[in-house]
Amino acid sequence: MTVQGWMLILVFVLILVALAKPVGLWLFAIYEGRRTPFHTVLGPVERGFYKLAGVDPNAEQGWRRYALHMLAFQLATLIFTYLVLRFQDVLPMNPRGLAGLTPDGAMNTAISFTTNTNWQWYSGEVALSNLSQMLGLTIHNFASAATGIAIAFALFRGFARKQAAGIGNFWADLTRVTLYVLLPLCIVYALYLIASGVPQTFTSLVDATTLEGAKQSIALGPVASQEAIKMLGTNGGGFFNANSAHPFENPSALTNFIQMLSIFVLGVGLTYTFGKAVGNTRQGWAILAAMLTLFLIGAGVTYWQEAAGNPVLHHLGLAGGNMEGKEVRFGIAASALFATVTTAASCGAVNAMHDSFTAIGGLVPLFNMQLGEVVVGGVGAGIYGFLLFAILAVFVAGLMVGRTPEYVGKKIEGREVKLAVLAIAVLPLMILGGTALASVLPAGLAGPLNKGPHGFSEILYAFTSAAANNGSAFAGITSGTPFYNGLLGVAMWVGRFFIIVPVLAIAGSLAAKKVHPESAGSFPTTGLLWIGLLVGIILILGGLTFLPSLALGPIADHLAMIHGQLF
């Protein structure tokens, strides 16, 4: 470990904290439906969309109607993407004449991008045409990210409104987030990436001569535009198989730092937006403090383990940290930080191969996802997932002090607690159930490259990444089979929408309630005690649920490594 490495982590966190308020205020303006500077240009576009779709953006929707419209939109876009991928061989903008994907492969990919997972069992640069990349995938990068923020807005209204029947309008939330947040940011971001050397072209291949004199065909395409939204929208699916380890996606240490910031920036801003929505910004700062506490623990452990390296190599006289699977232009600290960021958010982008991390270094990204990716989390998904834990934490606090639990002025009763537990239980069911099946069935055991605990970790990581809608992978697993495409597709769909629907039900239940002013008997939800309780609830639930599986995988792998056995 070095001083420069720790300074990188510290500066990263300080910049995020500084961005929380301005980004949060911008998102709050969209949440309220207020006019922004972009309305001059994009306002007519927004109104045109509503007129074309026959939507009244001012019409309030109850939680059931909000959920129904959201699910209908997801299904429609999923089918559209499936058809694009299946028939890309007869569609335009396919200069290399690539064949369409298989039925199971196309369905897995369509589900993956619809759910903001962006799990890729294929190499994007050799399997997908330019049209499939842009029309089939990038459109979901915008839509799935906007959906996550829309759901967060709906839950914010549930906490903020008094005896209301509606929680907003899904179409208005989706359209405004896309037009006034994601699109302007991505235009600026893509131009920066192009200036930094990221390709943005319809050229398919370019031939080059290497230093050794060999001929090489290098894939190109509309990379910068997809790169921008995959980071800002915490999507993660790369144009290239190597993702952000590829120099055409992530050319330098500066672009690497900007990419990490862009993964977190909207999620961090939404914590301040929540505080503004409920009329107490200290609530938002408390949530952000709890998130960053968990994040710093994870980043510190990952950096420590990767800098320590492999003790087996030390015994052979080969000192130094673990550089296997990492880019020299980034090094250990930036790679460890990126791995923690991308798995703390629901972003599957990687700049190093997690499969090559040390056992404990790989455990942290795995555990980040198993916590529900609430350590900042995906855009929208992180904050509404975190608020589920806040509901449980305030319920536990109410039991301890013998009072009816309240959070930001709303009584938390049996319905909200049951729905929160139901939503939180989805991940263990999908992760542990899928891992159990894949660990005993021949089709599942054919997937991992390694044997022993590391091979088990590869399976566990795949189902964790799918159910948590992350999309990164322990690259050793071969998942492009009907078995994995089907089972991981189910995990992705359930892991996304079987959480969203209970969240919307909670929003509807809370919106209908009265607001109770804070009193002397209320449990404080802004101080250090509350932050500690939140962190404890999240760690205890994650630890109790997943510790046995982690003991069979990365923990056993670490103990074996200490004793000289590698897998």
Side-chain angles (χ1 to χ4, degrees):
M1 293 184 288
T2 65
V3 173
Q4 292 91 336
W6 287 114
M7 285 298 297
L8 174 69
I9 297 172
L10 177 62
V11 170
F12 176 77
V13 172
L14 291 176
I15 292 175
L16 281 175
V17 173
L19 290 172
K21 182 175 180 178
V23 173
L25 288 172
W26 183 10
L27 289 165
F28 183 65
I30 307 303
Y31 163 82
E32 288 196 315
R34 288 192 274 113
R35 186 176 178 84
T36 71
F38 295 114
H39 277 70
T40 303
V41 175
L42 297 175
V45 178
E46 179 189 0
R47 293 190 293 272
F49 283 151
Y50 297 148
K51 186 175 181 179
L52 185 64
V55 170
D56 178 5
N58 298 315
E60 285 288 324
Q61 296 173 332
W63 79 264
R64 291 180 179 85
R65 189 170 181 81
Y66 198 104
L68 181 63
H69 285 224
M70 180 273 300
L71 290 172
F73 174 74
Q74 309 304 321
L75 285 171
T77 54
L78 182 148
I79 294 170
F80 172 78
T81 299
Y82 173 81
L83 293 175
V84 169
L85 297 174
R86 282 285 289 131
F87 299 107
Q88 73 172 1
D89 55 328
V90 298
L91 293 172
M93 300 182 69
N94 185 8
R96 285 175 284 164
L98 299 173
L101 300 187
T102 61
D104 62 286
M107 182 55 69
N108 178 276
T109 303
I111 292 174
S112 174
F113 279 78
T114 302
T115 58
N116 199 249
T117 309
N118 293 31
W119 172 272
Q120 293 176 293
W121 53 269
Y122 53 86
S123 298
E125 67 268 40
V126 299
L128 299 183
S129 68
N130 287 339
L131 184 71
S132 294
Q133 291 275 13
M134 294 188 299
L135 192 61
L137 304 188
T138 305
I139 189 174
H140 279 293
N141 288 348
F142 280 94
S144 63
T147 297
I149 296 177
I151 302 304
F153 283 178
L155 185 57
F156 293 177
R157 294 187 187 106
F159 280 107
R161 290 184 172 178
K162 306 173 184 178
Q163 296 179 296
I167 56 172
N169 184 295
F170 171 71
W171 302 109
D173 288 339
L174 181 78
T175 303
R176 289 166 183 165
V177 169
T178 302
L179 286 179
Y180 303 122
V181 179
L182 299 177
L183 186 60
L185 281 174
C186 284
I187 290 174
V188 175
Y189 194 3
L191 290 173
Y192 162 74
L193 291 173
I194 293 168
S196 300
V198 177
Q200 181 69 17
T201 176
F202 290 140
T203 300
S204 178
L205 294 171
V206 61
D207 293 326
T209 302
T210 67
L211 293 175
E212 294 83 7
K215 300 294 183 180
Q216 182 179 1
S217 292
I218 302 173
L220 296 174
V223 182
S225 56
Q226 184 168 328
E227 188 74 15
I229 186 57
K230 90 165 188 181
M231 294 300 186
L232 281 167
T234 60
N235 298 284
F239 188 95
F240 296 100
N241 185 44
N243 210 281
S244 287
H246 198 293
F248 282 177
E249 287 199 24
N250 194 5
S252 67
L254 180 58
T255 59
N256 188 68
F257 189 79
I258 297 297
Q259 287 188 12
M260 289 189 292
L261 284 175
S262 62
I263 293 172
F264 263 11
V265 67
L266 292 179
V268 166
L270 281 167
T271 62
Y272 190 84
T273 304
F274 173 72
K276 286 287 291 183
V278 299
N280 184 353
T281 56
R282 292 178 63 196
Q283 298 288 350
W285 288 119
I287 290 174
L288 181 59
M291 287 179 170
L292 292 180
T293 298
L294 290 166
F295 169 72
L296 285 170
I297 293 171
V301 171
T302 304
Y303 180 36
W304 165 48
Q305 285 295 297
E306 294 308 298
N310 190 330
V312 175
L313 298 180
H314 295 172
H315 294 154
L316 297 175
L318 302 173
N322 177 31
M323 276 297 296
E324 180 186 340
K326 298 178 179 65
E327 288 293 307
V328 175
R329 68 184 187 277
F330 302 140
I332 291 174
S335 299
L337 180 59
F338 199 110
T340 309
V341 168
T342 197
T343 51
S346 62
C347 182
V350 296
N351 75 345
M353 299 302 105
H354 296 180
D355 195 39
S356 296
F357 277 34
T358 61
I360 301 301
L363 180 149
V364 172
L366 183 59
F367 192 57
N368 278 343
M369 295 184 289
Q370 290 174 341
L371 293 178
E373 291 190 317
V374 297
V375 186
V376 178
V379 286
I383 186 67
Y384 68 65
F386 197 96
L387 289 173
L388 293 175
F389 284 102
I391 287 172
L392 293 186
V394 81
F395 175 72
V396 171
L399 293 177
M400 290 191 295
V401 299
R403 294 181 181 273
T404 302
E406 295 178 5
Y407 186 54
V408 295
K410 292 295 179 78
K411 288 187 179 295
I412 303 301
E413 297 175 301
R415 175 177 171 80
E416 292 79 37
V417 174
K418 290 174 184 177
L419 287 168
V421 170
L422 177 64
I424 291 172
V426 167
L427 281 187
L429 176 64
M430 288 293 100
I431 293 171
L432 300 178
T435 301
L437 287 174
S439 298
V440 297
L441 296 177
L445 292 172
L449 174 67
N450 301 95
K451 304 301 179 184
H454 196 82
F456 178 79
S457 294
E458 291 174 348
I459 296 174
L460 178 64
Y461 195 105
F463 283 96
T464 300
S465 179
N469 302 136
N470 182 273
S472 65
F474 264 27
I477 194 165
T478 300
S479 60
T481 63
F483 173 84
Y484 276 106
N485 281 340
L487 201 54
L488 290 173
V490 171
M492 288 185 281
W493 187 264
V494 174
R496 176 73 163 179
F497 298 111
F498 280 56
I499 293 176
I500 284 180
V501 173
V503 165
L504 290 175
I506 291 172
S509 177
L510 292 173
K513 294 185 176 186
K514 297 178 180 179
V515 173
H516 297 269
E518 186 175 335
S519 66
S522 301
F523 186 85
T525 56
T526 57
L528 290 176
L529 179 61
W530 171 244
I531 294 169
L533 181 61
L534 280 173
V535 171
I537 288 289
I538 293 170
L539 289 177
I540 290 170
L541 285 178
L544 291 178
T545 304
F546 293 106
L547 182 59
S549 62
L550 294 172
L552 292 173
I555 294 175
D557 198 7
H558 177 74
L559 294 175
M561 180 182 69
I562 291 174
H563 291 87
Q565 185 178 9
L566 301 176
F567 295 94

